[in-house]
Amino acid sequence: MQQLYIFFWQRKINLALAIFLLLNIILDIINQRFWLNDFKVYFEAATHLRNHENIYGELFTLGSGYYKYSPFVAFLFIPISFLKYSLAKIIFFCISSIAIITVFYYFQNWLHYFFKTEKTNNYFLIPFFTFLICAVHLQRELHLGNLNMQLICLLIIAFHLIIYQKKLAAGIIIGIATCFKPHFLILLPLFVLRKEWKILFTTIISVLVFLISPAIILGWQNNYNNLSQWLVTMQTHNAGNEGNEQTFLYMANRFFNLPNSTFVWQSLIALTALSFGLLCLKHFKDEKGNISLQKTDFAMEYFTLIAIIPNLVITDTEHFLFAMPIIFSLVTFLFFTKNGKLISAISILFLILFGLKINDVIGNNIADVYLQNSVLGISNLVIILLLNFIFEKQKQQLSISK
């Protein structure tokens, strides 16, 4: 009982999250909407994989219910695929809930680790405001049964392993996440810039090992065929136009009339990479051997790269949950530092815009305008830029723990 009291009362954000999670599953069950269609895709693909059946090009659910992930992901879901789907989706919902609560647990720890704050109301208010900003995306994540919160949880755990010098374990975890979403390969140049060779090579080797692991049950040739089909499926998905409204390429075409071409896409990627490289060089120049600054600068670089992913690839709105660490950090800076009225007002505006797509509140028509005009993608980009600007301005004045 005492442990429950500590968990739910001393860390009140856990109580708020528990209520939110319970309401989600109860309301979906009452409204007969507890479908978890994305999870059903993983579940059915795993069933097909263990039965040596095709997993690509098969419509497993309505809508975009095609399996687009590596054979390794389906391989991991094989144990749960032996259960009835009605039970399996409840277990998966519980796993997602644990991931969400774990992410917010780390957020609260960051308040003390990076800012030396005492356990005040801010231990509840800052995570709670972060939750409110991301609530609509969390609700969609839970309703669809997607994996983004599990992945961001893994990447946060990997980050903590890195700063505690457990780099082999961190590389393995990042390798697992990369097999789910190859977008996380975006982290590899950071490891090169930081000369984190152990993390780099462990990640690469882990990815290779995990991708060939389904050959245990499929055989080498069948696994190779699946990997080939996976690459074709990814190329087809990324060549489409549906779901690209929040990407830099779509924004360049809509707002600046730049052609929707491979050259423009590559140019935008190169510009993003160059900007990030300059940011890293600025951090390296400022560090001068200060270990605590190295940790905070690395955190900014690491989570900035993760947060920018939904602006670079065709994806759904719940994938902007990758920006949660950046959003939490910006909210924290707004609480603890003096940034001027203009910066604070702009930050608050775009934090609100980030979480504004609540169809029942703003209506479907406004929600469509919101998406078609890339409001979410623009908000994500502005939040990233604001946080990095405030961090560069304030880091010399902040008391950052070692």
Side-chain angles (χ1 to χ4, degrees):
M1 290 298 294
Q2 185 178 3
Q3 291 178 337
L4 287 175
Y5 170 81
I6 294 172
F7 186 80
F8 285 115
W9 189 248
Q10 290 192 4
R11 290 180 177 265
K12 296 182 181 66
I13 186 62
N14 291 335
L15 180 60
L17 291 171
I19 293 170
F20 170 77
L21 294 166
L22 283 173
L23 284 175
N24 264 277
I25 190 170
I26 290 170
L27 290 175
D28 271 354
I29 290 173
I30 290 174
N31 295 323
Q32 298 182 347
R33 289 174 54 84
F34 188 54
W35 303 326
L36 277 67
N37 282 334
D38 284 354
F39 169 65
K40 188 174 184 181
V41 173
Y42 314 137
F43 180 89
E44 294 293 342
T47 303
H48 278 232
L49 188 71
R50 64 181 169 84
N51 291 326
H52 298 269
E53 297 172 351
N54 186 43
I55 61 176
Y56 296 102
E58 300 285 336
L59 185 63
F60 293 122
T61 65
L62 297 177
S64 58
Y66 294 95
Y67 185 74
K68 302 182 286 287
Y69 310 95
S70 71
F72 172 71
V73 176
F75 181 66
L76 286 184
F77 277 88
I78 284 178
I80 203 171
S81 71
F82 285 98
L83 304 175
K84 289 185 177 180
Y85 182 68
S86 57
L87 175 60
K89 63 183 178 181
I90 292 174
I91 293 173
F92 184 80
F93 184 92
C94 291
I95 294 172
S96 299
S97 300
I98 292 170
I100 292 170
I101 291 173
T102 302
V103 166
F104 278 88
Y105 170 82
Y106 277 108
F107 286 169
Q108 286 187 301
N109 287 347
W110 288 358
L111 290 174
H112 176 70
Y113 184 86
F114 288 111
F115 295 94
K116 286 186 176 178
T117 59
E118 299 300 326
K119 292 189 176 181
T120 64
N121 286 336
N122 293 330
Y123 263 60
F124 170 72
L125 290 176
I126 295 175
F128 184 68
F129 282 127
T130 303
F131 160 70
L132 289 180
I133 293 163
C134 300
V136 64
H137 306 300
L138 285 170
Q139 188 278 328
R140 181 170 174 79
E141 169 87 354
L142 291 167
H143 175 68
L144 291 176
N146 214 314
L147 287 159
N148 298 301
M149 287 309 300
Q150 286 92 323
L151 295 177
I152 198 64
C153 183
L154 286 176
L155 292 168
I156 289 174
I157 291 171
F159 167 74
H160 277 265
L161 290 171
I162 290 170
I163 63 177
Y164 285 112
Q165 301 299 312
K166 297 179 180 179
K167 297 179 180 180
L168 289 177
I172 293 170
I173 290 175
I174 294 170
I176 293 172
T178 302
C179 287
F180 277 81
K181 302 276 187 183
H183 317 322
F184 297 129
L185 290 172
I186 198 173
L187 292 170
L188 298 189
L190 173 61
F191 301 145
V192 174
L193 284 170
R194 282 282 177 179
K195 297 182 180 180
E196 292 288 358
W197 308 119
K198 187 179 291 186
I199 304 171
L200 176 70
F201 292 124
T202 303
T203 299
I204 293 171
I205 293 170
S206 297
V207 169
L208 294 175
V209 170
F210 293 142
L211 288 181
I212 65 175
S213 59
I216 296 171
I217 62 171
L218 298 177
W220 293 104
Q221 186 60 47
N222 286 338
N223 190 54
Y224 174 79
N225 293 338
N226 276 330
L227 288 171
S228 300
Q229 291 182 59
W230 174 45
L231 292 175
V232 172
T233 301
M234 284 196 297
Q235 291 170 354
T236 303
H237 174 67
N238 291 326
N241 290 318
E242 186 177 353
N244 73 340
E245 294 90 351
Q246 313 311 316
T247 63
F248 291 147
L249 181 59
Y250 177 90
M251 295 178 205
N253 177 256
R254 181 173 180 82
F255 301 116
F256 302 103
N257 294 319
L258 294 177
N260 191 346
S261 66
T262 301
F263 173 76
V264 173
W265 179 77
Q266 291 172 342
S267 300
L268 290 169
I269 296 292
L271 180 62
T272 303
L274 177 62
S275 301
F276 180 77
L278 292 174
L279 175 67
C280 289
L281 291 174
K282 175 69 166 58
H283 285 175
F284 298 158
K285 183 180 178 181
D286 289 345
E287 283 173 5
K288 298 178 181 178
N290 186 319
I291 298 301
S292 60
L293 269 182
Q294 288 178 2
K295 290 177 180 177
T296 51
D297 283 351
F298 177 75
M300 289 293 297
E301 296 155 5
Y302 182 85
F303 290 114
T304 291
L305 279 174
I306 293 169
I308 204 68
I309 288 172
N311 285 116
L312 299 174
V313 298
I314 296 175
T315 190
D316 208 344
T317 56
E318 69 273 11
H319 290 76
F320 280 89
L321 289 169
F322 290 158
M324 279 184 71
I326 293 292
I327 290 170
F328 173 81
S329 300
L330 180 57
V331 173
T332 304
F333 272 88
L334 292 176
F335 265 79
F336 289 122
T337 63
K338 295 179 180 179
N339 301 291
K341 293 181 180 179
L342 180 60
I343 292 295
S344 297
I346 294 173
S347 299
I348 292 169
L349 171 63
F350 281 96
L351 286 170
I352 292 172
L353 289 174
F354 183 92
L356 190 62
K357 190 188 170 292
I358 308 172
N359 292 38
D360 293 337
V361 175
I362 64 176
N364 290 331
N365 291 334
I366 297 178
D368 289 341
V369 172
Y370 175 96
L371 292 176
Q372 291 165 7
N373 288 280
S374 310
V375 176
L376 177 57
I378 292 170
S379 299
N380 190 60
L381 175 61
V382 173
I383 287 168
I384 293 169
L385 294 175
L386 281 169
L387 176 62
N388 279 275
F389 172 78
I390 293 172
F391 177 72
E392 289 295 328
K393 183 180 177 182
Q394 297 287 346
K395 69 180 180 180
Q396 299 300 332
Q397 304 169 19
L398 289 173
S399 175
I400 304 175
S401 80
K402 292 185 178 182

